[in-house]
């Protein structure tokens, strides 16, 4: 089953367009996990088990594991997700971007080592930097388009022949790179008008939408701008607001509560 | 000592502007190393020892380690370089690009975990995605500008207010991001005219120049386009042409020979 098929099925069976970002920061873990050797793994498993029925996808952010020499725990988390929740796609958030031979190594990392269903990539180095991922036709390739951070406009909002660069990227991916129907785009929730413009450009292509929750994006405006005609098409990501909903032993239950509320808030505007 | 000071000193004491890229691909290792558990470490140490006196910097490409679960060997290689060759700066080629909180994790990975002197980063997400690296004022931040791959033109050559995007990035880094004098740019050797234009924009800022050797860039044209007024300013990278100069037990000696020849070819056009 391809990433896109798995995601489409998850939207229906899970009744959710909430993507749960796994950005484990041990400094924010509850006290009873602090200092444990596999704290990251234990924390993430508890979050996953508590929130899986509210999620259409999980998105581990590899930087948090790389900073802490915890790639082995990321492997375990991906394996856990594949075995326990095979119906929920795993997006490795790595934002890779490099020349072909190097991108081939990163593709092996994402899809063979971690067994992810999709990976985020950066478009700055152009088509051949994305091609090795595209060659895995069952995998999803999620290209950065319009990001939710303050500096996102520095390049992405530059005028390129009458349109901002991020719209050029949306056209490039939709019209040229997505020959196998496996692409998606990252478009931040902080700019609903721009999200709507990307949706108009890319048709039903899935959008990974960070920027709600801790980053402050408005759910109603996001959903109305990002949904497809049939009310799907989105992985609306929330990480910190769910992971760190409560700083004590009740963290997983609190995460579940926030995840369910966020899923429901999204669904409210999808009909 | 800052990255820039260390690099400037290495240009002089090493009499070299050759950067040796460590892209270890076990499939290309000589037979006697095949299948050994620490083959990557052994291969890289042999290359380092054989070529160190010809190099102004070493540049491990993290993708090759990540694909093979060999981060521990990369740690060992960086430690080996710091201890044995403390005068030669280590550039971690990771091309990171993410929002601030995540970039902070990647900065920890590059500078604390691996102890690199500099890291390559992607500009697509703008200033705040680069800021966490810049906050380590002794470290080098090497921003992708004009890359040597075929698809590099897809975005980098787009016209932005009368100049191609890569020149806009060069201005952005030189005029706004480089407040502490710690930045450098990646500019491929495959387009000497464009390299010359970047040099004209950024003054004496160091340039990391991939694309000679296996990628086919011409050394004379590269040096004449990329050198500063005093004949320095470059880390001209070669990886595969040096690492895989010979596929047998003489690989390190052959690598040394190619490294010395490449260093000398660069120096010939620097005076």
């Amino acid at each position: 089953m391809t990433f896109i098929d798995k995601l489409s099925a998850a939207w229906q069976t899970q009744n959710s367009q909430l993507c749960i970002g796994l950005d484990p920061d041990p400094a924010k873990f509850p006290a009873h996990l602090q200092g444990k050797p596999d704290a990251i793994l234990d924390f993430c498993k508890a979050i996953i088990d508590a929130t899986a029925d509210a999620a259409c996808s999980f998105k581990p952010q590899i930087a948090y594991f790389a900073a802490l020499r915890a790639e082995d725990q990321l492997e375990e988390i991906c394996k856990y997700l594949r075995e326990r929740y095979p119906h929920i796609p795993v997006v490795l958030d790595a934002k890779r971007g490099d020349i072909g031979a190097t991108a081939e190594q990163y593709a092996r990392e994402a899809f063979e080592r971690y067994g992810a269903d999709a990976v985020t990539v950066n478009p700055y180095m152009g088509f051949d930097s994305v091609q090795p991922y595209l060659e895995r036709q069952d995998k999803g390739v999620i290209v950065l388009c319009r990001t939710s951070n303050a500096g996102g406009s520095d390049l992405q909002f530059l005028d390129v022949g009458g349109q901002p660069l991020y719209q050029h990227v949306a056209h490039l991916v939709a019209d040229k790179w997505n020959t196998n129907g496996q692409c998606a785009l990252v478009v931040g929730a902080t700019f609903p008008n721009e999200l709507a413009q990307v949706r108009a450009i890319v048709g039903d292509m899935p959008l990974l939408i960070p920027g709600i929750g801790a980053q402050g994006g408005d759910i109603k405006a996001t959903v109305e701008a990002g949904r497809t005609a049939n009310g799907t098409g989105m992985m609306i990501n929330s990480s910190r607001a769910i992971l760190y909903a409560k700083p004590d032993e009740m963290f997983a239950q609190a995460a579940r509560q926030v995840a369910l509320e966020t899923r429901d808030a999204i669904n409210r505007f999808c009909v």
Side-chain angles (χ1 to χ4, degrees), chain A:
Chain A
M1 188 183 258
T2 70
F3 164 70
I4 299 288
D5 289 342
K6 196 167 169 178
L7 177 62
S8 300
W11 284 330
Q12 302 305 326
T13 60
Q14 299 285 98
N15 188 30
S16 173
Q17 294 183 76
L18 172 64
C19 176
I20 295 180
L22 299 173
D23 303 8
D25 181 353
K28 296 180 184 161
F29 286 179
H32 73 285
L33 287 177
Q34 300 273 353
K36 284 186 65 179
D38 283 341
I40 293 174
L41 180 59
D42 292 346
F43 178 82
C44 288
K45 276 186 180 175
I47 292 286
I48 290 165
D49 289 336
T51 62
D53 65 344
C56 73
S57 53
F58 283 101
K59 181 178 73 63
Q61 167 51 262
I62 197 169
Y64 285 82
F65 299 87
L68 295 167
R69 312 182 73 233
E71 284 88 0
D72 54 342
Q73 294 184 66
L74 177 55
E75 289 173 355
E76 287 296 316
I77 289 164
C78 291
K79 185 163 172 276
Y80 188 78
L81 283 164
R82 276 197 307 280
E83 290 176 357
R84 301 281 182 109
Y85 306 99
H87 55 294
I88 303 180
V90 176
V91 175
L92 185 69
D93 196 356
K95 299 188 177 68
R96 300 307 192 205
D98 214 309
I99 60 168
T102 305
E104 171 61 29
Q105 303 298 321
Y106 280 132
R108 287 182 194 173
E109 180 199 28
F111 300 135
E112 293 166 26
R113 179 178 184 183
Y114 294 115
D117 296 292
V119 65
T120 55
V121 300
N122 186 306
Y124 189 71
M125 292 182 68
F127 179 71
D128 58 327
S129 74
V130 175
Q131 199 168 17
Y133 310 97
L134 295 173
E135 282 168 5
R136 275 84 168 173
Q137 299 197 359
D138 56 328
K139 299 298 186 180
V141 181
I142 307 178
V143 183
L144 292 181
C145 176
R146 181 70 172 119
T147 61
S148 53
N149 60 313
S153 300
D154 287 347
L155 266 69
Q156 297 156 24
F157 211 67
L158 292 172
D159 183 85
V160 175
Q163 65 184 350
L165 178 59
Y166 76 89
Q167 290 185 21
H168 182 90
V169 169
H171 278 293
L172 203 58
V173 175
D175 302 341
K176 294 193 177 169
W177 296 2
N178 193 29
T179 52
N180 189 47
Q182 74 200 107
C183 291
L185 292 178
V186 176
V187 185
T190 34
F191 309 100
N193 289 343
E194 299 171 15
L195 179 57
Q197 288 178 295
V198 173
R199 174 54 73 203
I201 291 168
V202 302
D204 288 345
M205 184 183 290
L207 301 179
L208 171 60
I209 306 175
I212 65 157
Q215 291 183 58
D218 172 70
I219 291 181
K220 179 173 188 288
T222 299
V223 172
E224 290 176 352
R227 50 170 284 185
T228 60
N230 79 353
T232 65
M234 300 176 291
M235 293 171 276
I236 299 182
N237 187 75
S238 181
S239 303
R240 284 167 279 174
I242 291 174
L243 268 50
Y244 310 113
K246 238 183 171 185
D248 57 26
E249 295 197 12
M250 300 297 285
F251 75 98
Q253 290 90 329
R256 173 176 179 74
Q257 193 58 37
V258 175
L260 290 170
E261 287 167 9
T262 310
R263 178 201 64 183
D264 292 344
I266 293 167
N267 285 344
R268 198 171 307 133
F269 305 108
C270 280
V271 284

